[in-house]
Amino acid sequence: MQLDDLLQRYFATTDLSGVAPDTLSAGIEHCRVDLGPEEDRGKRFALWSFLHMFGSAPDLDVAFESEEDREAARNFMDLLAASEGDEAG
């Protein structure tokens, strides 16, 4: 899954600067619905990561059955947090 493809699918654009708040909310909700039945681990992780970047990801124990996937998600969150710290400094 490519970021541009996800943006296009859920928000009908790859440029979020012009997305109306209602469209943003609807796209996030659509993504949350798609996450629920997704069984492919890679796609599930991509959807969860996408939602995480919008502050809308479900808790790890809800999103992932395996501890390995939960640990990968924790690593992803740590990497994002570290990159945000780099921007501030």
Side-chain angles (χ1 to χ4, degrees):
M1 296 184 140
Q2 299 291 322
L3 180 59
D4 285 349
D5 295 338
L6 291 171
L7 291 169
Q8 189 65 44
R9 175 181 175 100
Y10 295 111
F11 307 116
T13 184
T14 58
D15 180 9
L16 293 179
S17 64
V19 175
D22 289 347
T23 302
L24 188 65
S25 294
I28 289 169
E29 184 58 30
H30 182 189
C31 187
R32 289 180 63 93
V33 169
D34 286 351
L35 176 67
E38 183 58 61
E39 294 182 9
D40 180 275
R41 288 176 65 198
K43 288 180 181 178
R44 188 167 186 81
F45 189 84
L47 292 173
W48 179 88
S49 299
F50 187 71
L51 287 167
H52 176 72
M53 291 188 287
F54 287 98
S56 297
D59 291 337
L60 297 180
D61 59 333
V62 173
F64 303 108
E65 290 183 16
S66 80
E67 181 56 35
E68 182 181 354
D69 292 342
R70 289 190 293 269
E71 186 60 26
R74 286 185 201 98
N75 290 337
F76 176 76
M77 290 188 295
D78 289 345
L79 287 170
L80 278 180
S83 71
E84 290 170 0
D86 290 344
E87 291 174 9

